[in-house]
Amino acid sequence: MGENVNNLSLYDETRDWKIPKIKEINKRYQTDGLLLQECGTDFRQTSPDQALDVLLGDSDCRAVAANNVTEASARTQHGGVAALNFPRLAGFTLETGKDSTGLGRWVYTYVGTSTHKTRIITAYRPVKPSRSQIKGRQRGWYTVWSQHRRYIRKKGLENISPQAMFSRDLVQQLLRNYSLHGCQ
């Protein structure tokens, strides 16, 4: 199951209803896995009791999460993605991984047996903010688009948009992973 959670709110009272609601939906539909977008969390700053497998699953699930680690951040941060494989699927997890740039644009989990394998990806592609979204200096500074523009400038890649870079990099990673695992 995939869900844009629009911030997990690990550091405020919204957590008191958001996390239980996600757990309730997972239980109702008996999901084997959960794909989250816009987690809104700098996972480097979470405590062990705020780990996704603790909050949303149990110790038998496999989780991978990513957020922008290319710059300093507050505990909450726009963007970010995560994937959890719950116990029925966790035993078939062969590999997990994330966006190699450190921007937290996608994570993947590779599951399967000796005969069948599947790569499951969850991703968040930045959207250029509207003028009203960037009016306040603080709001515009923290958008995912702004985070990615700063990264692009730092790397000297001025002639590419965050969206174009996202598409290019995701296709490159998919092709690299497919050739790595001998996929046709």
Side-chain angles (χ1 to χ4, degrees):
M1 181 176 85
E3 186 171 349
N4 183 320
V5 293
N6 192 21
N7 194 340
L8 284 171
S9 307
L10 298 183
Y11 305 106
D12 66 31
E13 66 280 352
T14 310
R15 173 187 176 184
D16 295 341
W17 70 265
K18 224 173 222 190
I19 300 295
K21 186 70 174 170
I22 294 169
K23 289 172 78 170
E24 174 193 326
I25 291 168
N26 289 339
K27 185 176 180 180
R28 180 182 326 144
Y29 295 106
Q30 299 176 9
T31 61
D32 293 329
L34 178 62
L35 307 172
L36 302 174
Q37 305 84 38
E38 284 195 278
C39 296
T41 302
D42 184 342
F43 291 103
R44 298 172 293 184
Q45 299 185 46
T46 57
S47 62
D49 66 321
Q50 292 170 319
L52 288 175
D53 54 347
V54 173
L55 289 172
L56 297 171
D58 59 38
S59 60
D60 293 330
C61 80
R62 293 279 305 268
V64 58
N67 60 281
N68 182 356
V69 296
T70 66
E71 56 189 25
S73 168
R75 294 184 306 178
T76 59
Q77 180 188 65
H78 292 289
V81 291
L84 286 91
N85 293 345
F86 296 126
R88 268 194 316 210
L89 186 60
F92 295 101
T93 303
L94 304 170
E95 175 186 321
T96 61
K98 48 181 101 173
D99 170 16
S100 61
T101 65
L103 288 170
R105 300 173 294 178
W106 61 77
V107 295
Y108 68 87
T109 179
Y110 191 52
V111 296
T113 65
S114 60
T115 56
H116 297 354
K117 295 177 178 68
T118 302
R119 185 172 310 279
I120 303 166
I121 300 168
T122 185
Y124 182 74
R125 182 174 178 244
V127 176
K128 188 172 185 176
S130 68
R131 288 183 191 257
S132 64
Q133 289 175 308
I134 58 175
K135 274 187 181 175
R137 181 181 168 112
Q138 295 292 353
R139 274 183 69 107
W141 179 259
Y142 295 111
T143 65
V144 175
W145 180 272
S146 297
Q147 293 171 31
H148 293 205
R149 288 294 301 149
R150 288 191 298 275
Y151 176 87
I152 288 168
R153 285 186 190 112
K154 247 191 292 191
K155 295 291 183 182
L157 306 170
E158 289 296 323
N159 61 346
I160 192 166
S161 73
Q163 291 171 324
M165 186 176 74
F166 172 93
S167 299
R168 179 199 71 190
D169 293 351
L170 181 56
V171 167
Q172 285 176 350
Q173 183 159 351
L174 287 171
L175 292 173
R176 193 170 41 248
N177 285 339
Y178 282 123
S179 65
L180 193 74
H181 293 287
C183 299
Q184 300 289 324

